[in-house]
Amino acid sequence: MTSNHDVVVVGAGPTGLMLACELRLAGVDVLVLDRLAEPDLTTKAGSITLPTAAALDRRGLLPDLVAAQERALAQFRAFLATRTGPAAGPRTPPPKFLGHFGALMLDGTLLDESDPAFAGHGPAADVGLVPQQELEALLTARATSLGVEIRRSTPVTAFEPDADGVTISASDERLRAGWLVGCDGGRSEIRKNAGFDFPGTPPQITAWQAVAEMTGTEGLRPGWNRSARGVYAFGPMPGRILVVEFSGSPADRDTPVTPDELQGAIRRVTGVDVTVTGMSSITRFTDNARQATDYRRGRVLLAGDAAHVHSPFGGQGLNLGIGDAVNLGWKLAAVVRGWAPDGLLDTYTAERHPVGARVLAWTRAQIGIMRSDPWADALRDLVADLANTTDGTTYLVKQLSGATIRYPLAGTHPLIGFIAPDLALADGSRLAEHCVDGTGVLVDLTGDPAVRAAAAGYPGRVTLVTTTSTDRPGLAGLLVRPDGVVAWAADRDEPDPAEGLSAALRTWFGAPLSEPAPRRSEPVSVRSR
């Protein structure tokens, strides 16, 4: 028997789950397949960036993020409370968690928070310390609530794309889908079997990240540290240790990590006689850095680590994958629902590939200053001097936080291409709260009849919000894509503020309709505030 679906997503990690949520929100029949019987609970990424927090806020998940961050901070405080001796470090969490660049800890007191890149993001900007395990559990619950079917213990063994879709063999079942999306990680079978080019650079390191029971840790310094033999990070959660050796790739990446292997790496890099007595989480990784030249081949697409791999330093991998999912979800849904303008799906690679390439470059740069040789020492000293200034710290944080991501969209307004500011509106709501149902949002701040007339042709695709705001008083209006990116904006002092709006609507939402054609079974009304 063959079952049919609009989209099959392979991989139930954060990228695959986020993509499935976005597709299902748009009324698409999506099935998620994962080879694992249970979610992978290995400790991985420990934080989310601004674009990720903003994307989840736009879907109504901010309270869940805040709660997850509070749990992470409680663990951080518990870790600090256990520290004694000369390497104890601080006893309270830093005033603002900024992370690190190449194991150089960034000082929150040097950050210029008045920089325009940090302005207008609302309460999402205060969320960052959310571990990947928490985020994955949150997205699993959301996907389930939306009606997404997630099948575990179901590896994809073969697939055959054609002009109209993809035939998929998964376990003992045969599936038919209009589209297949590989979100199945850095060793993606979907990428390999579909024939995507995946050029890049070979690994320089072997690294281990674990949550372990250890004795003799009094000599370990909290945070990121560099020695003559490598790099290690201790904390911010009890038992968490990360160790990096510049020894190239391990001989066999598939061999399970033993306590003796982890203990040996810790002792070599730190010079401290730590004894590992148990492990609740352990992973071994390298800095293999590669990127697919295109994220689409016909009816097969890639997202997340399936499309790009790199070292995890700087906390970019998880967030890069979420960004892919948010960008792809609404575009693929538009194609499935039949209203996508020509070339819409091609903009997925065009917009996300440069972002991925930038992350690969930044992770390679961090490997460069983490090495232990005279050339790396000199470069590291230079970067450290720059980072120890307000301008240097602010620059690094802007890049690491994702606040500077801008897509090359048509239009001259300075907001176009960036994540929309989270405007505080006259009725007490925030702009993010009007994005929950996943449509585009057209905000009219002046009551312009031309804006209302333009929105009338897009029922179910674009929600009109007519209101006022004291934020950005010169702004007349803006069009926000479902992924939160500003596609059109105008100021009040422009001769024709609505100029360019119709073109932007056609570019991103297709031709206007002569009568309502909502994308779900019930009509989506135009709201005025």
Side-chain angles (χ1 to χ4, degrees):
M1 178 182 294
T2 300
S3 62
N4 297 304
H5 304 274
D6 292 330
V7 180
V8 168
V9 174
V10 181
T15 300
L17 291 169
M18 187 73 190
L19 176 60
C21 289
E22 292 295 281
L23 290 167
R24 187 67 198 130
L25 187 63
V28 171
D29 174 16
V30 55
L31 170 67
V32 178
L33 305 177
D34 197 278
R35 63 181 179 82
L36 298 178
E38 300 290 341
D40 181 3
L41 298 181
T42 303
T43 298
K44 296 180 182 177
S47 62
I48 61 175
T49 58
L50 177 59
T52 297
L56 295 168
D57 182 18
R58 290 192 300 273
R59 299 299 181 254
L61 298 175
L62 184 63
D64 300 282
L65 294 180
V66 171
Q69 178 166 266
E70 283 302 314
R71 288 190 290 271
L73 285 171
Q75 288 187 301
F76 192 3
R77 295 184 188 100
F79 166 74
L80 294 177
T82 66
R83 304 302 299 145
T84 60
R91 298 304 300 271
T92 59
K96 190 171 184 65
F97 179 76
L98 301 183
H100 74 100
F101 180 80
L104 290 170
M105 296 298 292
L106 301 175
D107 184 351
T109 64
L110 293 174
L111 179 66
D112 179 8
E113 296 188 68
S114 68
D115 188 287
F118 302 126
H121 296 294
D126 296 325
V127 178
L129 196 62
V130 178
Q132 181 168 330
Q133 291 177 340
E134 291 261 15
L135 180 59
E136 191 166 329
L138 189 161
L139 290 174
T140 299
R142 175 168 172 77
T144 301
S145 71
L146 290 171
V148 174
E149 182 181 359
I150 303 171
R151 296 186 195 171
R152 297 193 176 273
S153 300
T154 310
V156 172
T157 55
F159 59 90
E160 299 175 10
D162 55 53
D164 300 317
V166 186
T167 302
I168 304 159
S169 298
S171 295
D172 297 326
E173 188 175 4
R174 189 175 177 85
L175 307 170
R176 181 69 181 171
W179 300 85
L180 175 66
V181 187
C183 301
D184 52 335
R187 303 186 194 184
S188 170
E189 292 298 324
I190 303 302
R191 182 190 67 236
K192 295 173 184 175
N193 293 330
F196 285 86
D197 293 329
F198 201 52
T201 52
Q204 305 295 306
I205 68 169
T206 295
W208 299 261
Q209 180 167 230
V211 176
E213 294 82 48
M214 299 174 284
T215 60
T217 60
E218 293 80 10
L220 298 181
R221 295 187 60 82
W224 285 84
N225 305 273
R226 179 172 175 261
S227 75
R229 296 163 298 280
V231 170
Y232 76 93
F234 187 42
M237 309 306 174
R240 187 260 189 173
I241 183 81
L242 185 149
V243 189
V244 181
E245 288 190 300
F246 288 88
S247 55
S249 179
D252 184 359
R253 287 191 60 189
D254 295 320
T255 302
V257 181
T258 65
D260 284 345
E261 179 184 344
L262 176 63
Q263 177 178 290
I266 295 172
R267 290 184 176 186
R268 287 191 300 272
V269 170
T270 68
V272 178
D273 287 334
V274 169
T275 298
V276 176
T277 59
M279 302 183 300
S280 60
S281 172
I282 180 67
T283 184
R284 184 199 296 118
F285 63 90
T286 74
D287 63 323
N288 182 37
R290 300 184 180 277
Q291 184 179 25
T293 54
D294 198 309
Y295 292 178
R296 175 190 173 194
R297 285 178 62 89
R299 293 277 177 157
V300 182
L301 299 109
L302 303 176
D305 289 349
H308 36 70
V309 294
H310 51 83
S311 81
F313 305 129
Q316 300 296 296
L318 163 67
N319 298 284
L320 190 57
I322 294 292
D324 291 346
V326 171
N327 187 284
L328 173 60
W330 71 277
K331 296 174 181 177
L332 184 55
V335 173
V336 171
R337 298 306 301 267
W339 60 258
D342 290 342
L344 180 64
L345 201 53
D346 294 333
T347 67
Y348 168 53
T349 296
E351 292 178 356
R352 292 303 297 173
H353 194 278
V355 178
R358 177 68 169 167
V359 168
L360 262 68
W362 270 65
T363 57
R364 289 187 182 113
Q366 292 182 76
I367 292 294
I369 68 168
M370 289 165 66
R371 298 183 67 90
S372 299
D373 59 57
W375 294 270
D377 289 345
L379 182 59
R380 185 180 185 83
D381 287 345
L382 186 152
V383 174
D385 284 345
L386 293 173
N388 198 34
T389 66
T390 294
D391 287 346
T393 291
T394 302
Y395 170 76
L396 291 171
V397 172
K398 283 195 297 185
Q399 301 299 321
L400 292 171
S401 70
T404 59
I405 293 175
R406 186 182 192 182
Y407 298 143
L409 276 55
T412 60
H413 195 280
L415 289 178
I416 293 176
F418 284 108
I419 296 173
D422 189 20
L423 300 175
L425 305 178
D427 66 350
S429 67
R430 297 182 293 115
L431 175 55
E433 296 169 0
H434 295 265
C435 301
V436 173
D437 64 4
T439 67
V441 175
L442 178 56
V443 182
D444 175 17
L445 297 172
T446 64
D448 189 337
V451 172
R452 176 170 287 276
Y458 295 89
R461 304 181 199 175
V462 177
T463 298
L464 176 65
V465 177
T466 301
T467 185
T468 59
S469 174
T470 56
D471 293 347
R472 297 183 182 267
L475 189 64
L478 70 167
L479 173 64
V480 182
R481 302 189 323 191
D483 58 355
V485 173
V486 177
W488 166 86
D491 289 329
R492 293 171 181 264
D493 59 2
E494 296 181 22
D496 181 7
E499 183 180 4
L501 174 57
S502 293
L505 285 165
R506 285 181 175 273
T507 296
W508 300 110
F509 299 98
L513 302 178
S514 58
E515 58 185 38
R519 56 185 175 79
R520 291 194 289 270
S521 58
E522 74 279 0
V524 180
S525 63
V526 173
R527 297 193 295 258
S528 293
R529 297 274 178 175

